[in-house]
Amino acid sequence: MPDVIEQGVARVVGIIAENAREGWTEAVLTSTEGLFGLSASGQCVFADAAPRPFSMASRGVQALTDVTAAVKAARGWDRTRLEIRCRPSGEYTLIASRDVVSRLNGERPGFEAILDHNFRPSPAGYAQEEGVAGPAGDPELALSRFRGYLERRAEILGRAETLAPPVTEAALADAELRLGRSLPSDLRALYLVADGSGDGGAGLFGNLGWMPLDRLVAGNAGLREPVWTGWNDHWDAVVLDARPPDTVRRCHEHPAWLPFATADDGNYLAIDMSPAPAGRPGQVIQIGRDQYDGPLYVCDSVTSLLGRYLDQLDRGAYEVQADVVDYIDFVEGPWDPEPDPDAELLTDAIPDDVPPSTQAVLIQSRAPGSPMDLTPLTRAPHLRKLELKRRPVADLTALQNLPVESLAISLHGGDLAPLAGHRHLSSLDLVTAAPVDISPLRTAPNLRGMDLSQATVEDLTVLAGFPDLRYLALTGSQWALLLDEDKVPPTLAAARLTEGDASRDEALSWAARLGLPVGTPLIVSGTAAAAP
C-alpha cells in the first residue's frame, strides 16, 4: 500500500510541476473531504514575487482522490486530509491526517468538530400540527378547466399541445404505493388524461413543464430528507412562515411534498399533502433552490391553479414568446397572496411601527449610542428571527412572549433573566460588554445551539447542566476552561473553535481533548520526476 500512495503522490507532484508558473520554488496543496466530494486548494511560492494560488486540473483532482482512497485503506480512516509540499526538484512530503476537524471560512471562521454524526436538528415545521380541513380540489372541475385551458392555448399559439399518453389506474396505484400516500384527486384525474407535458407543452404550468408520474415519484424521493450543508449553516437557521400564516409547514423539504412541475432549474411547483393547521391537503406550493426562506404558498389546489391560468388568458395577462417553439409567458404569478414585503426587515434601527406580519428583523449597520428599545417588537406576534449584534441592547423583557427562535444580540447591561423558560428560543449568538450569568437559559426547553465566543460569561461550567444543547461555539480559552473542569455539555453533536487564525495542529489537539479519534499522521517523503 505505501507504494500505491507514493506513486499517487508522484503523479500529483508531476501535474503541479507541469502547470506551475516559471520561477516557482515550492508548492503547497491541501485537500479535504466534504459533503460534496473532495475539495482542494493550492499555493505556489516564488523567490521574487508574492505567493499565487493555483487550482488542480480534473486529472489532478482524480489523482488526489486516488491518494485519499489509498490512505483511507491503509489507515482505516473515514475522512482524510492531505497536505502535499513539493519543489521543482521533485522532492515532496505528504502529511495525511484523519480529518476530524473542518476549517471554516467566511463570517464564521475557525474549526468545526462533529461529535455525533447521526444527529441532525429537526426542522420546526416537522413539529407543527397538521391541518384538519378537507381538500379543495375537484377532479371533474379540474378536467373541465384543463381541457378549456388547452383549447385557449391552441387558439393563441396556433397549434395544439402534444401531451404524453395517459397513465393507467394500475400505474397510479403503484406510484402511490411508492410515495406512501395518495395523490390529490384533481391531479390524479389529470394523469389519467396525460402523463405530463411530453415534448409539446414544456411551459404548461406557467413557465414550468408538467412532470411525468415516474419523475414525480423520483423527485419526491429526492426531497424526503432535508438538505444538510453542515452545522455552520444550520445551527441557527430559521424557516419563515408562508403567507397566509400557518398554511405550509416551516421547512425546506418534507416527505409529503410531491413536485409535479419544474423548469429543470431546481425549483418546483409541488402538491402539499401534509399542510400546516390553516392549510388544506392538495394545496399547491413552490419549493426548491430559490426558496431560501421557505416554501411559498400558491393556491389551495391544482383545480384553482388551472382556474387562474384560464383567467389570465381571458384577461390577456400573457405574452407569446418566440423560442424554438412559441410559448405563453404569463405576466402575473399565480400566487395567492403575493409574498409579504414586510416579512423580513433589513434596517439600521428598529422602527417604532414594526409591521405586525414581520417575522425577521436584521440590523445592518453599527451605530454608537444608548441601547435600543425592543418594545416596538411586541407589535410583531410572528417574530422568529432577530439579529441585533451590531447595536447594543440592555432589556430583553419585550422578547418574553414573542416566538423568537434565533436570537443574535449584543447585551450591554441587563441580564438574560427574561429568556428563562422561553419555549421557542432554539439558538443564541451572544455578545456582552460585561460578565453575564447564563444560568437562566437552562430552563429554555428548546435551546439547542449557542455561540458564546464574544461573550464574557460568569460561569461557563453551568453549560454542563443544559438539558439538550447540541451545538456550542467558544474560543480556545473558553474550551480549555470547560475541558479542564470536565464540564463539556454531554449532549453536544457539534463544536466550533472560533479562532480563525488557529493552526490545524491546535485544532487537532482541541478535537483530541473532546474525545475524537485524531490518530497519528501518515508522513511520506520522496522524489518524483523533476519538473522540466
Side-chain angles (χ1 to χ4, degrees), residues 71-106:
V71 170
K72 289 171 70 173
R75 287 297 181 94
W77 292 342
D78 45 359
R79 287 164 56 97
T80 300
R81 177 185 185 272
L82 305 181
E83 179 181 289
I84 298 174
R85 292 179 176 269
C86 62
R87 299 179 179 276
S89 63
E91 295 175 87
Y92 69 80
T93 299
L94 163 72
I95 302 176
S97 58
R98 190 169 193 163
D99 191 22
V100 297
V101 293
S102 301
R103 182 178 285 280
L104 304 172
N105 298 302

Side-chain angles (χ1 to χ4, degrees), residues 124-196:
Y126 279 51
Q128 288 178 274
E129 293 184 8
E130 186 166 321
V132 297
D138 182 326
E140 292 185 6
L141 181 56
L143 285 175
S144 174
R145 286 178 173 177
F146 186 61
R147 293 188 178 105
Y149 177 53
L150 293 178
E151 289 173 3
R152 289 286 289 117
R153 289 174 62 91
E155 293 172 4
I156 294 167
L157 294 173
R159 60 174 173 81
E161 311 282 3
T162 304
L163 304 181
V167 304
T168 64
E169 283 282 2
L172 273 170
D174 177 68
E176 290 173 332
L177 182 64
R178 287 184 287 159
L179 289 168
R181 65 191 75 249
S182 298
L183 291 174
S185 60
D186 52 0
L187 183 61
R188 201 176 194 278
L190 297 187
Y191 275 112
L192 290 170
V193 171
D195 188 17

